[in-house]
Amino acid sequence: MNIYAERMNDNGKDGFKECVRMQNIVDGLGSDTRILVASIREANTIGDLAVEGLDTYTFSPQVAREMFHEPLTDMAAEEFEKAARIGSSERSIEFDLDAPPFL
C-alpha cells in the first residue's frame, strides 16, 4: 500500500497520523501488507515513522544526504585520515578512553 504522507499534509490532513493509523490496521489484521510511505521530505520523519513500525519509504537524494550527514562522524573520519597519513611509525596516537564514544 502506497501512502503519499507529505501530499496529505499539503492538503490539510495529518499524513503522519494517517500512516500510523493504517499501520495499526494492517497489524491488527495480522496482514503481511507493507505500507510504503512515499515522497518523504525530511530525514527526521523517517525516524518518527520507524518508531511507529513503518519501515518502507521513498525519498529524495537530498533527504538521504540529510540522513547520513553527522558532523561527529565526519570529524572522526577526518582525524582517522590525518593519523593514517602521519603513519603509526612516526607518531603515536593517544585515545581518551574516558570520553564518550561517537554515535
Side-chain angles (χ1 to χ4, degrees):
M1 182 181 302
N2 191 11
I3 303 171
Y4 289 87
E6 299 292 355
R7 289 186 190 176
M8 293 174 101
N9 291 339
D10 293 345
N11 288 289
K13 293 188 176 191
D14 184 338
F16 178 83
K17 185 177 176 180
E18 292 299 318
C19 290
V20 171
R21 183 172 173 263
M22 289 180 206
Q23 184 65 51
N24 288 336
I25 291 168
V26 167
D27 291 345
L29 294 171
S31 174
D32 60 356
T33 299
R34 295 180 76 170
I35 307 294
L36 171 65
V37 184
S39 301
I40 294 172
R41 296 180 188 151
E42 296 180 16
N44 63 346
T45 301
I46 295 170
D48 294 340
L49 290 166
V51 166
E52 298 294 338
L54 292 130
D55 62 3
T56 308
Y57 329 97
T58 66
F59 46 87
S60 69
Q62 175 58 34
V63 170
R65 282 188 288 277
E66 191 180 322
M67 284 176 55
F68 294 106
H69 176 71
E70 173 50 58
L72 292 175
T73 300
D74 295 342
M75 238 174 42
E78 203 172 290
E79 288 296 317
F80 178 83
E81 292 297 327
K82 187 190 299 182
R85 282 192 300 273
I86 293 170
S88 61
S89 63
E90 295 179 19
R91 189 172 183 171
S92 65
I93 300 172
E94 294 183 28
F95 295 97
D96 183 355
L97 297 178
D98 294 323
F102 287 104
L103 301 176

